[in-house]
Amino acid sequence: MKIHEYQARELLANYGLPVPSAEVITDPAQAAAAYDKAVKEAGLSPTDGLVVVKAQVHAGGRGKAGFVKLVNSSKDATDAAAFMLSNRMVSNQTGPEGLEVKKLLIAAGVDIAHEYYLAITTDRDTRRNVLIASAEGGVEIEKVAEENPDAILQQPIDPLMGLQPYQSRKMAFDLGLKGKQVGQAVKIMTALAKLFVEKDCSLAEINPLILTPPTDAAPDGQLLAIDAKFNFDDNGIGRHKDLQAFDDKAEANPAEARAEEFGLSYIPLDGSIGCLVNGAGLAMATMDTIKHHGGDPANFLDVGGSATEEAVTEAFSIILSDEKVNGILVNIFGGIMDCDTIAQGVVNAAKNFKNPDGSTGFQIPLVVRLEGNNVDAGRATLEAAADRLPTLQAASDLNDGAKKVVEAVG
Ligand code: GDP
Ligand code: MN
């Protein structure tokens, strides 16, 4: 699960990390008041204080896309807000269709002496979490990783001992931090490591972590988190009420959200052959076998071990809502799942499916392979409905099914 920047900032603040305060708005008419409030709280000039307006979407690269704007007046804040809320954001992380922006964050702008990168994620090679940092943080971190990998520093985190203070101190010195900055950095890294584990994160990233220029009150400057991104392990979400409240359904892919509602795991892909399978392993084997015969799967869809007839009907309608789909392979091995339940679902979906010309019933090729629990009843159900399923072909096994659907799709 992903969350918005304003939610990430709230989470960081709860763990004691230094984050400037911010407001969220949904309408350009709210921008002027948010500007006034931000400059007032930060003690900046009410007429030309620096304020940042930022699109809240589940994607980065906003700065380069023009969806992070620094403004110096309430009028410019309003204009920036109007632009962002009425244009889709296309960045290097969104794909060409871009994302609709529904919320904006408005915060007092901070002066930046230096931008750092700081993150924790899991390194699958070493099977450990790893603290990653760079003195070349900011909007070009992907380029740094590619062109100057030595500028990306790492400290592996022992799974039992956790991130040790000496590791954070070493990281701070390696980043070139000095004086009071080191203590600030250690506190930030320690808190981030605690948050990462306690909230079942798969990624916790602060980019940039900034250093402010020196002042009389803080001669070494101050480290602040001004952008953050989190991903969470979906299998851990069930035990975090606070994270569940962060789930923004409006940002999710509509087909994926519908699938989740019915307990289906669905991942859209680029191909043309829709797959309806029970079990993640079988679903992957099905996709591989389709590929082996020269076809391209349109999706991964696991209806699970105990899907209801409604869930199966829904699974078909999700697959068929993808316009690229011009053939479907149903591959069911009935263990817990009753093959007849799947067969009933197929018949229902076929009966109810509306074609663009107003007629009902599948027009695209449908290949069904059923095996296992109650398979005879399942096959009988399909045969009894044969007049409604003119494009149906039965397959004897997975290989036969994949071959038939690839041939039928052409
Ligand atoms: P991203 O492009 O989606 O990662 O958005 P960020 O929030 O990281 O902002 C991109 C860049 O905008 C940062 O790296 C900063 O250089 C700049 N920026 C963001 N907020 C401020 C601010 O308060 N003051 C200044 N001076 N620059 C900012
Ligand atoms: Mn950023």
Side-chain angles (χ1 to χ4, degrees):
M1 189 185 99
K2 294 178 180 175
I3 61 174
H4 288 296
E5 177 197 357
Y6 73 91
Q7 297 164 328
R9 284 170 166 241
E10 190 183 319
L11 205 49
L12 290 177
N14 288 345
Y15 274 78
L17 280 98
V19 187
S21 71
E23 285 273 302
V24 175
I25 66 163
T26 53
D27 191 306
Q30 301 166 309
Y35 176 91
D36 292 342
K37 189 171 172 215
V39 288
K40 188 162 175 226
E41 278 181 3
L44 302 173
S45 154
T47 49
D48 66 354
L50 186 71
V51 161
V52 62
V53 181
K54 310 175 80 174
Q56 299 297 289
V57 283
H58 286 176
R62 298 167 302 168
K64 288 203 145 175
F67 282 73
V68 171
K69 281 209 175 112
L70 291 162
V71 296
N72 281 96
S73 69
S74 58
K75 172 163 188 316
D76 288 352
T78 306
D79 290 349
F83 171 81
M84 290 182 199
L85 290 168
S86 58
N87 286 282
R88 294 176 79 85
M89 183 190 100
V90 180
S91 85
N92 57 357
Q93 296 186 14
T94 63
E97 70 287 354
L99 289 174
E100 187 186 346
V101 181
K102 302 189 192 84
K103 291 178 188 166
L104 304 175
L105 177 146
I106 297 199
V110 289
D111 292 330
I112 300 178
H114 196 90
E115 299 195 19
Y116 298 90
Y117 176 90
L118 183 66
I120 299 179
T121 188
T122 302
D123 180 351
R124 290 176 192 280
D125 290 339
T126 59
R127 287 176 279 168
R128 267 152 212 253
N129 295 332
V130 59
L131 178 74
I132 304 172
S134 177
E136 298 182 29
V139 295
E140 301 266 18
I141 192 69
E142 288 87 357
K143 213 167 131 193
V144 175
E146 217 168 276
E147 292 173 4
N148 188 14
D150 290 346
I152 310 280
L153 311 172
Q154 302 195 16
Q155 283 287 337
I157 302 175
D158 185 279
L160 295 177
M161 310 231 285
L163 182 70
Q164 295 292 296
Y166 80 86
Q167 294 184 290
S168 301
R169 273 198 301 278
K170 175 160 191 335
M171 188 62 103
F173 287 124
D174 290 347
L175 287 171
L177 297 175
K178 295 185 181 70
K180 290 226 161 70
Q181 298 160 8
V182 175
Q184 293 177 32
V186 170
K187 230 182 117 193
I188 290 169
M189 292 172 197
T190 307
L192 193 65
K194 184 166 160 26
L195 194 173
F196 185 91
V197 172
E198 287 182 359
K199 298 296 179 191
D200 294 313
C201 298
S202 52
L203 173 72
E205 180 186 84
I206 301 172
N207 188 31
L209 174 73
I210 61 128
L211 179 66
T212 60
T215 59
D216 289 343
D220 288 337
Q222 241 200 313
L223 289 173
L224 296 174
I226 65 165
D227 183 23
K229 172 179 171 180
F230 284 93
N231 291 343
F232 302 96
D233 184 339
D234 288 340
N235 294 313
I237 295 294
R239 56 183 188 175
H240 301 296
K241 287 268 176 312
D242 54 342
L243 300 182
Q244 288 164 27
F246 281 157
D247 193 7
D248 188 346
K249 297 267 184 244
E251 293 290 318
N253 171 313
E256 283 176 59
R258 249 168 79 203
E260 197 188 318
E261 212 176 290
F262 282 84
L264 311 163
S265 2
Y266 170 81
I267 297 162
L269 300 165
D270 295 333
S272 60
I273 298 173
C275 309
L276 191 157
V277 189
N278 68 327
L282 191 59
M284 284 191 273
T286 305
M287 289 160 53
D288 282 350
T289 313
I290 288 172
K291 278 262 186 201
H292 175 74
H293 287 289
D296 262 315
N299 65 278
F300 169 99
L301 193 151
D302 172 13
V303 294
S306 54
T308 59
E309 199 182 307
E310 290 74 45
V312 172
T313 309
E314 188 63 23
F316 269 107
S317 105
I318 290 168
I319 291 175
L320 289 164
S321 69
D322 178 352
E323 281 167 11
K324 298 191 304 297
V325 170
N326 53 20
I328 296 187
L329 174 60
V330 176
N331 184 24
I332 299 296
F333 186 82
I336 304 168
M337 171 72 91
D338 179 338
C339 286
D340 197 30
T341 300
I342 293 286
Q344 302 280 0
V346 172
V347 172
N348 270 345
K351 193 166 60 188
N352 299 333
F353 185 68
K354 286 209 170 51
N355 293 295
D357 64 7
S359 65
T360 51
F362 285 167
Q363 291 176 339
I364 59 171
L366 173 68
V367 178
V368 181
R369 180 251 175 163
L370 291 178
E371 202 55 73
N373 181 14
N374 212 13
V375 67
D376 293 336
R379 287 183 185 148
T381 298
L382 290 180
E383 262 164 44
D387 56 330
R388 292 194 202 116
L389 302 170
T391 64
L392 173 74
Q393 297 183 69
S396 55
D397 59 25
L398 167 54
N399 197 43
D400 182 46
K403 218 159 113 185
K404 280 187 171 140
V405 77
V406 171
E407 272 166 19
V409 164

